[in-house]
Amino acid sequence: MRIPWRRVWFLAALVCTAWLATLAPTAAAEPNGVALTPPMGWNDWYSEYCSVSAQLVEQTARDMVADGMAAAGYRYVNIDDCWMARSRDGNGNLVADPTRFPGGIAPVAAYVHSLGLKLGIYEDAGTTTCAGYPGSYGHEAQDAAAFASWGVDYVKYDRCNIPYGDYPGESAQEVDASLYTRMSNALRATGRPIVFSIVDPDPGVDSWTWGRTVGNLWRTTSDIEDNYGSMLSNFEGTVDLSSSAAPGGWNDPDLLQIGNGGSTPIEYRSEFSLWAEMAAPLIASTDVGELTPDALSIYENADVIAVDQDPLGRPGVPIASAGGLWVMTRQLTGGDRSVLLFNSTNTAATITTSAGAAGLRRAPGYSLLNLWTNSVSETGGQISAFVPAHGVAMFRVAPESRRVLRVLAPHTVLSLEPADPQVDAGGTTTVRESFVNQATVAVERLSLSFFAPRGWRVTRLGRTHLKRLAPGHRFTVLYRVTAPATGPPLGVGALAAAAAYDPVVGLSSSSANFGETVSVPVPAPFATADTTGQPASFGASNGSLAISARGSGVFPAYEDEAPSDSYAAIYAPRAAGPSSTAQVTVTWDPSGGTSGAAGLIERNQMTAPAGSGPAVVLYVASNATIEMAWNAAGGPFTDTWIQVPKVYVGYPVTLRLVRNGSSYTGYYSTNRGASWAAVATVTVAPSVSSGAQDVGAFHASGIQAWETTATFEDLIVNGVELR
Ligand code: GAL
């Protein structure tokens, strides 16, 4: 489903302090006695969209029992939009789709209950649901009674198509709060305990400010996508709302995507950990019958689930987030803390906090249970980890006596820190390998080693062995490394470190990895431009190009916000005269959001800052459609946009832009130029299409905080190819 392209979700990442954790939530919880811990279960939306059926729901319930998810705590089997027939019956009753739910909902509920699970359903506060099925507006009591009579245990209630015209003078927030209250009261009046899930994340409606007295969970952010950038956005949009949540009512950053394939295993572990630390509902939206063993092991990590479900019900709070390196702490029953170190950046980094900063009481030392490796170690107070890009380290931390500390392995941290995470091909940088002993005892016979890939030159600049490293001390070795002189446009060299040492008992070892980016500089007469305000990387070799960048894309911001168009480009300065042709093949683009893209851009001056916009862009959008946007009115940004309807392309896609004065014709080819289809001929305001323009390949990730790499081939401007 595509949300309107103008909708750009703005996020502010605020830094909270640990004392927030001690504040009790203000409003009383919705008194229906359910969701005392965050709901856990499954929802069909992201694996099935509108093809949900009784058969699928019953099969999923069986799968959840068979694969252990039910035993791990996943209880709610939730049906999303599209379960209904297109209209109500003669008495105004909701009717299930007769083909996909031939017996209605009641037998499905009975079947799910027979397996020890619970059934959820979807409705909408407006006249129709988001997918156009009958909404509950004006039918709240009737629909609630139907749900209860069918045996429904959970209602997800959406906010599409609310008739605001019926409420002149009232804000969307006021209308929504009263409509959700209507359904909440109707559900309560049935006498059946039903979890009420508020889905109202539109800008200007802060449902977390009124959700606690109305429902059991409330969406905090726009729909999640199966990519890291979207997950990060939803995390950042939720993490500062912890004081709204407590037993009975929870912040909902949306359904879990683990298993859907758009993120890496490291990123999916982060999603699960962050949701658990925030006390978010754990609702899997994937085909649970097809999960890989790795995805299943994430969903069934009992220690992380225990954090999410901790009966105290206090969500974690951030105590640091500088530079995208997050530290969160969550108070748990019995005095333990869950400490989460999250590296939201694109390069591995060491993240450090202390037991004191995390809110633990003073003690001789602390045990650290690593919730993803299951290992236990002891620290005198420092808590750190070398965390991969987009990854987490998650510990359950408890104060310990000296007697316990004596039998635990020392907490040590091995890390690699290059002076610069990116070098040019053939360039040299210095890498620091560090080993820190954070335990209460010394480690002995420490030996460090370092590995670089074939083709790299490494010079060691110091000794690598040490007899004894006292508690709280660090041992560092420097290496001078030179990257190979040739390679792909943006290659990654995997640098690795290892340490071996004698702890109290036996021999221990640890390892660390760092992906050093190696770029082949873009050759003249081509140049690079970056209007994102954040670092971008460029590379070109043998006719292949790569651009790694963030950026919200080529569109103005949502509604009346300042223009935020931003992207990075490899371009030919002044090469596109009034009669000119530019062409490029997009070979890969993993961008997301509503405005992620890769394609061709023409602009009077490519390096002009965001807010002065391109004349015209022709690109592959993050939803795999071909689109063209241009500046028709001469204002500060692209103001007009079209999409080639019903065409979804795979890679590679070749794009061609032919300029004729102030009119531009776009073409695309899915067979590398053997045949072409026209996109459109558009007319650009003369003020932004004067003289010879800059032209080239551009990329924007579509989500400000997320850097993605798009690759291209054969950038050709008027017959001159970038080599
Ligand atoms: C959206 C909602 C999604 C899904 C969809 C169904 O508004 O956020 O989670 O329920 O509607 O049409």
Side-chain angles (χ1 to χ4, degrees):
M1 186 181 69
R2 186 183 164 92
I3 350 177
W5 61 270
R6 278 166 176 280
R7 180 160 301 170
V8 179
W9 191 258
F10 281 95
L11 299 164
L14 305 173
V15 179
C16 276
T17 42
W19 57 261
L20 266 181
T22 61
L23 290 183
T26 42
E30 213 269 338
N32 60 3
V34 292
L36 297 179
T37 61
M40 292 174 65
W42 170 85
N43 170 297
D44 69 76
W45 186 246
Y46 288 108
S47 57
E48 300 300 322
Y49 295 98
C50 274
S51 53
V52 62
S53 66
Q55 204 199 337
L56 170 92
V57 173
E58 294 180 2
Q59 181 60 51
T60 300
R62 285 194 292 276
D63 289 341
M64 286 166 72
V65 171
D67 69 14
M69 285 183 75
Y74 297 85
R75 307 167 69 198
Y76 291 97
V77 185
N78 292 351
I79 302 169
D80 209 283
D81 203 351
C82 309
W83 60 271
M84 287 175 244
R86 284 286 173 185
S87 52
R88 293 174 180 267
D89 73 8
N91 298 320
N93 294 314
L94 290 174
V95 186
D97 181 288
T99 321
R100 287 180 286 112
F101 290 89
I105 300 299
V108 182
Y111 182 78
V112 167
H113 293 159
S114 76
L115 297 178
L117 299 170
K118 295 191 172 288
L119 188 79
I121 211 160
Y122 168 98
E123 245 299 2
D124 189 284
T127 51
T128 52
T129 71
C130 298
Y133 293 85
S136 281
Y137 187 69
H139 292 269
E140 290 84 355
Q142 185 178 11
D143 293 351
F147 297 152
S149 74
W150 296 340
V152 166
D153 307 293
Y154 182 118
V155 172
K156 171 176 174 177
Y157 206 51
D158 216 337
R159 57 31 176 121
C160 281
N161 308 310
I162 291 179
Y164 291 110
D166 292 359
Y167 304 87
E170 285 188 51
S171 67
Q173 169 107 298
E174 286 162 342
V175 175
D176 292 15
S178 79
L179 292 184
Y180 277 88
T181 303
R182 247 195 245 173
M183 184 48 109
S184 171
N185 291 341
L187 290 170
R188 205 173 307 154
T190 67
R192 185 176 174 86
I194 296 175
V195 173
F196 188 42
S197 154
I198 299 168
V199 179
D200 199 359
D202 286 345
V205 182
D206 301 337
S207 52
W208 52 92
T209 61
W210 47 266
R212 277 196 72 71
T213 53
V214 177
N216 303 106
L217 57 153
W218 43 87
R219 279 272 300 280
T220 48
T221 49
S222 54
D223 287 13
I224 197 166
E225 297 169 15
D226 183 21
N227 63 59
Y228 172 74
S230 170
M231 187 280 285
L232 181 61
S233 282
N234 283 17
F235 161 68
E236 291 185 343
T238 307
V239 67
D240 290 316
L241 303 175
S242 58
S243 61
S244 306
W250 309 99
N251 290 315
D252 175 13
D254 207 3
L255 306 165
L256 294 169
Q257 294 288 339
I258 300 152
N260 288 336
S263 299
T264 65
I266 285 179
E267 293 164 344
Y268 283 141
R269 279 181 180 72
S270 297
E271 178 170 312
F272 200 67
S273 305
L274 291 163
W275 266 227
E277 189 79 357
M278 294 191 292
L282 299 179
I283 313 240
S285 194
T286 187
D287 182 346
V288 297
E290 294 289 324
L291 288 174
T292 61
D294 187 65
L296 199 57
S297 75
I298 298 176
Y299 280 121
E300 297 186 359
N301 184 320
D303 291 324
V304 178
I305 292 173
V307 170
D308 183 72
Q309 296 290 303
D310 187 83
L312 203 55
R314 292 237 169 132
V317 292
I319 53 173
S321 63
L325 304 179
W326 290 82
V327 179
M328 291 184 69
T329 180
R330 179 169 176 184
Q331 194 181 346
L332 302 174
T333 312
D336 292 5
R337 290 268 173 168
S338 163
V339 174
L340 184 64
L341 310 177
F342 169 43
N343 177 2
S344 74
T345 78
N346 277 359
T347 43
T350 303
I351 306 179
T352 301
T353 188
S354 68
L360 285 128
R361 68 171 165 81
R362 280 177 73 94
Y366 304 84
S367 58
L368 301 179
L369 171 62
N370 184 320
L371 303 192
W372 287 109
T373 65
N374 257 322
S375 59
V376 190
S377 58
E378 60 92 355
T379 170
Q382 291 295 102
I383 301 171
S384 36
F386 184 63
V387 187
H390 301 183
V392 294
M394 191 174 188
F395 299 105
R396 188 175 185 116
V397 188
E400 302 291 357
S401 65
R402 289 189 197 289
R403 194 168 50 85
V404 173
L405 294 174
R406 265 202 301 276
V407 298
L408 296 179
H411 182 59
T412 64
V413 185
L414 179 67
S415 63
L416 278 179
E417 269 126 349
D420 188 338
Q422 178 165 349
V423 289
D424 283 352
T428 297
T429 190
T430 306
V431 180
R432 192 173 63 213
E433 180 178 12
S434 290
F435 181 94
V436 181
N437 178 11
Q438 298 185 329
T440 57
V441 295
V443 301
E444 320 249 324
R445 283 175 289 283
L446 173 62
S447 154
L448 301 186
S449 24
F450 177 75
F451 310 87
R454 201 177 264 278
W456 289 66
R457 281 206 321 276
V458 177
T459 315
R460 176 160 51 81
L461 302 176
R463 64 190 178 125
T464 53
H465 290 68
L466 194 70
K467 253 185 121 165
R468 183 174 187 277
L469 186 67
H473 283 70
R474 169 187 299 266
F475 180 51
T476 298
V477 188
L478 294 178
Y479 303 87
R480 191 174 311 119
V481 299
T482 302
T486 55
L490 279 179
V492 177
L495 308 180
Y501 55 97
D502 276 356
V504 190
V505 222
L507 185 77
S508 276
S509 66
S510 54
S511 61
N513 298 294
F514 190 96
E516 178 81 5
T517 302
V518 183
S519 62
V520 182
V522 172
F526 290 85
T528 63
D530 175 14
T531 69
T532 67
Q534 302 187 74
S537 307
F538 307 90
S541 78
N542 295 327
S544 296
L545 288 61
I547 302 175
S548 183
R550 299 175 177 83
S552 59
V554 294
F555 294 117
Y558 185 59
E559 286 171 354
D560 299 329
E561 310 262 8
S564 66
D565 52 310
S566 60
Y567 37 81
I570 295 178
Y571 70 103
R574 299 271 160 252
S579 165
S580 55
T581 302
Q583 180 177 317
V584 78
T585 299
V586 181
T587 48
W588 179 240
D589 173 28
S591 65
T594 53
S595 54
L600 285 170
I601 181 167
E602 283 201 37
R603 188 177 181 188
N604 284 352
Q605 197 199 341
M606 198 67 81
T607 51
S612 52
V616 60
V617 279
L618 170 67
Y619 58 93
V620 186
S622 58
N623 61 0
T625 55
I626 305 276
E627 299 178 2
M628 206 165 160
W630 65 100
N631 186 341
F637 38 68
T638 56
D639 52 27
T640 318
W641 166 85
I642 53 161
Q643 181 180 61
V644 179
K646 298 198 168 71
V647 169
Y648 296 93
V649 291
Y651 300 100
V653 183
T654 306
L655 302 168
R656 175 181 281 181
L657 197 54
V658 179
R659 179 178 175 200
N660 186 358
S662 56
S663 92
Y664 298 74
T665 306
Y667 301 88
Y668 73 95
S669 166
T670 52
N671 50 20
R672 291 202 180 248
S675 59
W676 293 91
V679 178
T681 298
V682 305
T683 305
V684 170
S687 59
V688 288
S689 60
S690 55
Q693 297 187 302
D694 294 347
V695 61
F698 84 100
H699 171 57
S701 73
I703 296 174
Q704 281 289 15
W706 182 40
E707 183 171 342
T708 57
T709 303
T711 58
F712 308 82
E713 281 172 11
D714 306 328
L715 175 60
I716 307 171
V717 180
N718 295 327
V720 178
E721 184 178 353
L722 179 149
R723 294 300 306 172

